[in-house]
Amino acid sequence: MAKMTKMKKAEVKPFKESLIILRARLRGDVSTLASAALSTSGGSSGSSSVPSHIADLGSDTYEQDNTILLMNSEGETLTQIESALERIEGGTYGFCTECSGKIPKTRLKALPYTPYCVKCASEIESDNY
Ligand SMILES: [Zn+2]
Protein backbone atom coordinates (compact mmCIF):
# COMPACT_ATOMS: atom_id res chain seq x y z
CA MET A 1 0.00 0.00 0.00
CA ALA A 2 1.22 3.42 -0.95
CA LYS A 3 2.25 5.73 1.82
CA MET A 4 -0.60 8.04 2.63
CA THR A 5 0.05 11.66 3.28
CA LYS A 6 -3.13 12.99 4.77
CA MET A 7 -4.56 16.12 3.34
CA LYS A 8 -4.25 19.07 5.69
CA LYS A 9 -7.45 20.22 7.36
CA ALA A 10 -7.23 23.52 5.50
CA GLU A 11 -6.89 21.62 2.23
CA VAL A 12 -9.89 19.41 2.93
CA LYS A 13 -12.11 22.22 4.20
CA PRO A 14 -13.34 23.59 0.84
CA PHE A 15 -14.17 20.04 -0.31
CA LYS A 16 -15.98 19.29 2.93
CA GLU A 17 -17.99 22.48 2.58
CA SER A 18 -18.99 21.77 -0.99
CA LEU A 19 -19.93 18.21 -0.04
CA ILE A 20 -22.17 19.47 2.74
CA ILE A 21 -23.82 21.99 0.42
CA LEU A 22 -24.25 19.35 -2.27
CA ARG A 23 -25.74 16.94 0.24
CA ALA A 24 -28.26 19.49 1.48
CA ARG A 25 -29.25 20.34 -2.07
CA LEU A 26 -29.60 16.71 -3.08
CA ARG A 27 -31.59 15.87 0.02
CA GLY A 28 -33.99 18.67 -0.81
CA ASP A 29 -34.24 17.54 -4.42
CA VAL A 30 -34.69 13.91 -3.48
CA SER A 31 -37.55 14.57 -1.12
CA THR A 32 -39.22 16.88 -3.64
CA LEU A 33 -38.85 14.31 -6.37
CA ALA A 34 -39.96 11.49 -4.11
CA SER A 35 -43.17 13.22 -3.15
CA ALA A 36 -43.80 14.15 -6.78
CA ALA A 37 -43.17 10.60 -7.95
CA LEU A 38 -45.31 8.98 -5.32
CA SER A 39 -47.94 11.71 -5.75
CA THR A 40 -49.17 11.43 -2.21
CA SER A 41 -51.86 14.06 -2.16
CA GLY A 42 -51.85 14.13 1.62
CA GLY A 43 -55.59 13.83 1.71
CA SER A 44 -57.27 13.30 5.04
CA SER A 45 -59.20 10.26 3.84
CA GLY A 46 -57.10 7.14 4.40
CA SER A 47 -58.66 5.38 1.42
CA SER A 48 -56.50 4.38 -1.55
CA SER A 49 -58.04 6.60 -4.16
CA VAL A 50 -56.52 6.55 -7.63
CA PRO A 51 -55.68 10.05 -8.82
CA SER A 52 -57.80 10.89 -11.85
CA HIS A 53 -54.85 11.96 -14.02
CA ILE A 54 -53.41 8.41 -13.81
CA ALA A 55 -56.31 7.31 -16.01
CA ASP A 56 -54.72 9.25 -18.86
CA LEU A 57 -51.93 6.74 -19.39
CA GLY A 58 -49.39 7.82 -21.92
CA SER A 59 -46.74 10.47 -21.59
CA ASP A 60 -47.56 10.76 -17.88
CA THR A 61 -46.25 7.26 -17.18
CA TYR A 62 -43.10 7.96 -19.12
CA GLU A 63 -42.42 11.13 -17.15
CA GLN A 64 -42.99 9.32 -13.88
CA ASP A 65 -40.45 6.64 -14.80
CA ASN A 66 -37.89 9.30 -15.59
CA THR A 67 -38.45 10.97 -12.25
CA ILE A 68 -37.84 7.73 -10.37
CA LEU A 69 -34.72 7.07 -12.42
CA LEU A 70 -33.40 10.51 -11.61
CA MET A 71 -34.25 10.02 -7.95
CA ASN A 72 -32.27 6.78 -7.82
CA SER A 73 -29.13 8.26 -9.34
CA GLU A 74 -29.33 11.20 -6.94
CA GLY A 75 -29.69 8.78 -4.06
CA GLU A 76 -26.54 7.08 -5.25
CA THR A 77 -24.69 10.40 -5.34
CA LEU A 78 -25.95 11.08 -1.83
CA THR A 79 -24.45 7.78 -0.66
CA GLN A 80 -21.13 8.75 -2.26
CA ILE A 81 -21.25 12.14 -0.55
CA GLU A 82 -21.88 10.47 2.82
CA SER A 83 -18.91 8.15 2.43
CA ALA A 84 -16.72 11.01 1.22
CA LEU A 85 -17.57 12.90 4.41
CA GLU A 86 -16.72 9.77 6.39
CA ARG A 87 -13.36 9.61 4.61
CA ILE A 88 -12.75 13.25 5.54
CA GLU A 89 -13.37 12.36 9.19
CA GLY A 90 -11.16 9.30 8.89
CA GLY A 91 -8.37 11.24 7.19
CA THR A 92 -8.42 9.14 4.01
CA TYR A 93 -10.17 11.69 1.84
CA GLY A 94 -8.41 12.43 -1.42
CA PHE A 95 -7.22 8.86 -1.87
CA CYS A 96 -8.66 6.29 -4.22
CA THR A 97 -10.59 3.58 -2.36
CA GLU A 98 -9.46 1.09 -5.01
CA CYS A 99 -5.72 1.59 -5.33
CA SER A 100 -5.05 4.08 -2.48
CA GLY A 101 -3.52 6.40 -5.06
CA LYS A 102 -3.85 10.11 -4.63
CA ILE A 103 -6.81 11.66 -6.43
CA PRO A 104 -5.79 14.86 -8.25
CA LYS A 105 -7.24 18.03 -6.73
CA THR A 106 -8.65 19.05 -10.12
CA ARG A 107 -10.72 15.87 -10.08
CA LEU A 108 -11.86 16.46 -6.51
CA LYS A 109 -12.94 19.96 -7.45
CA ALA A 110 -15.10 18.60 -10.25
CA LEU A 111 -16.34 15.55 -8.31
CA PRO A 112 -15.75 16.12 -4.58
CA TYR A 113 -17.53 12.87 -3.70
CA THR A 114 -15.62 10.58 -6.04
CA PRO A 115 -14.06 7.58 -4.27
CA TYR A 116 -11.82 6.73 -7.22
CA CYS A 117 -8.85 8.15 -9.07
CA VAL A 118 -9.19 8.75 -12.80
CA LYS A 119 -7.68 5.40 -13.72
CA CYS A 120 -9.86 3.29 -11.41
CA ALA A 121 -12.98 5.26 -12.27
CA SER A 122 -12.52 4.60 -15.96
CA GLU A 123 -11.86 0.91 -15.25
CA ILE A 124 -14.97 0.63 -13.08
CA GLU A 125 -17.10 2.53 -15.60
CA SER A 126 -15.95 0.31 -18.45
CA ASP A 127 -16.88 -2.73 -16.31
CA ASN A 128 -20.38 -1.40 -15.91
CA TYR A 129 -21.04 -1.04 -19.61
ZN1 LIG B 1 -7.27 4.24 -8.10
Side-chain angles (χ1 to χ4, degrees):
M1 197 144 111
K3 194 189 170 206
M4 282 199 188
T5 317
K6 281 188 198 178
M7 281 172 86
K8 290 187 186 81
K9 276 210 174 120
E11 281 182 296
V12 179
K13 209 180 167 216
F15 297 116
K16 187 177 178 175
E17 277 168 3
S18 57
L19 281 166
I20 287 166
I21 291 163
L22 209 60
R23 182 176 64 176
R25 207 163 63 191
L26 276 176
R27 271 182 179 164
D29 287 353
V30 166
S31 62
T32 309
L33 285 171
S35 56
L38 296 169
S39 64
T40 46
S41 54
S44 49
S45 69
S47 63
S48 56
S49 58
V50 180
S52 55
H53 70 268
I54 293 284
D56 183 27
L57 292 171
S59 59
D60 274 0
T61 316
Y62 181 72
E63 273 174 38
Q64 209 167 27
D65 285 351
N66 266 353
T67 309
I68 291 161
L69 205 71
L70 188 67
M71 192 171 72
N72 282 345
S73 75
E74 285 193 354
E76 213 167 279
T77 307
L78 206 53
T79 309
Q80 288 191 317
I81 291 169
E82 293 288 359
S83 48
L85 285 166
E86 273 170 32
R87 288 197 302 279
I88 286 174
E89 295 308 317
T92 58
Y93 181 74
F95 295 94
C96 177
T97 57
E98 275 295 302
C99 70
S100 301
K102 202 163 187 174
I103 302 172
K105 283 227 178 90
T106 47
R107 178 169 169 77
L108 289 175
K109 271 177 193 156
L111 288 165
Y113 49 82
T114 186
Y116 309 120
C117 68
V118 184
K119 191 173 145 278
C120 292
S122 65
E123 276 170 17
I124 285 155
E125 271 163 30
S126 62
D127 276 356
N128 286 343
Y129 293 104

